[in-house]
Amino acid sequence: MSEFIGFSPKAFKFLEELADNQTRVWFSEHRSEYEEFVREPMKCFTNALSESLANKDIPLWGDPKKSLFRINRDARFSKAKHPYNMHASGLFTRTGDKHSPGVLYFRLDPLGSRCAAGYLQPEAHNLKKLRQGILDNPKAWLSLEKSLKRKGYELDYSNTLARIPRGFNDVPPEVELAIKLKGWIIRKQLPRSTICSKELIKEVTGFAKDMLPLLSFGWHALAKFSD
């Protein structure tokens, strides 16, 4: 397995300083620090986690060249115009492509690092299939949610429709709120002590294993209700 012993505290130091120095001149002068403490370790983390996931038969992996998000922001459609992200992040999917539905997400962030999994902001046609999956087998969905709760996880229900979406009839009351969800996402906070230790890979792999039933439920729905 690719050795990864955790991120250096200097990664947080760089990102904190970047937050206070959102200029291209400053970033150019400190690019070597970004490469040494953030970008290259993120690549190593991606390789090591991908190997760990494979060893646990979790069908998710990442490509250091394709799975990591750029530090440069696209601020064209955002009110916030700062040119650089103040965190580093990447996605792990079944194909290694960031656009493949059903993801494991990792974020290195001075304000709170975390991992997450699920279907965040899925495209409309995929969201419809996910909802059909719930309606097709509400008992399995409720059992899945109960199983996740026993492990200490809860779906984020903060982003839902006000009404049951058009085309969904005879929805059982116990899954109405789930049908209204605009996406499925579960997050887990990661303390700096974990981020900066060799336990990080084990911690994120364990989270991914816990999330596999949720991801699999979605993959099954996407396949069953494909056009």
Side-chain angles (χ1 to χ4, degrees), residues 64-198:
K65 294 183 179 179
K66 298 178 181 178
S67 302
L68 302 180
F69 291 99
R70 298 170 66 242
I71 194 74
N72 301 76
R73 291 183 68 247
D74 183 353
R76 291 175 299 171
F77 308 107
S78 174
K79 292 181 180 179
K81 297 302 180 183
H82 52 280
Y84 300 104
N85 287 312
M86 292 167 277
H87 61 268
S89 59
L91 290 177
F92 299 78
T93 67
R94 288 188 295 174
T95 65
D97 185 321
K98 286 201 292 276
H99 302 291
S100 180
V103 307
L104 172 67
Y105 172 78
F106 172 76
R107 177 168 173 141
L108 177 71
D109 191 334
L111 299 180
S113 299
R114 61 183 177 270
C115 51
Y119 297 80
L120 178 63
Q121 298 177 336
E123 295 179 20
H125 67 285
N126 282 336
L127 179 56
K128 182 179 180 180
K129 294 171 189 174
L130 295 175
R131 288 169 171 161
Q132 287 174 319
I134 296 174
L135 192 57
D136 182 60
N137 198 340
K139 288 185 178 179
W141 174 261
L142 293 171
S143 176
L144 170 61
E145 284 211 76
K146 288 180 181 177
S147 176
L148 290 169
K149 285 182 180 180
R150 284 196 296 269
K151 295 177 181 178
Y153 303 109
E154 290 199 38
L155 280 159
D156 182 353
Y157 271 91
S158 64
N159 193 14
T160 62
L161 296 173
R163 298 181 178 85
I164 293 174
R166 186 179 303 172
F168 286 84
N169 305 310
D170 300 320
V171 176
E174 59 268 26
V175 294
E176 279 188 6
L177 198 56
I179 293 290
K180 294 177 185 177
L181 279 169
K182 295 181 181 180
W184 306 349
I185 192 73
I186 291 177
R187 301 178 182 86
K188 180 176 182 176
Q189 299 298 315
L190 297 168
R192 286 198 186 192
S193 57
T194 299
I195 293 290
C196 297
S197 78
K198 62 182 180 181

Side-chain angles (χ1 to χ4, degrees), residues 49 53 56-60 103-104 115-118 143-155 185-188 190 201-217 219:
L49 181 59
L53 293 169
K56 295 294 184 180
D57 295 321
I58 301 169
L60 298 166
V103 307
L104 172 67
C115 51
S143 176
L144 170 61
E145 284 211 76
K146 288 180 181 177
S147 176
L148 290 169
K149 285 182 180 180
R150 284 196 296 269
K151 295 177 181 178
Y153 303 109
E154 290 199 38
L155 280 159
I185 192 73
I186 291 177
R187 301 178 182 86
K188 180 176 182 176
L190 297 168
I201 296 296
K202 180 180 178 181
E203 191 77 13
V204 180
T205 301
F207 173 76
K209 184 177 181 180
D210 287 342
M211 294 300 105
L212 190 54
L214 175 67
L215 294 172
S216 297
F217 190 101
W219 290 329

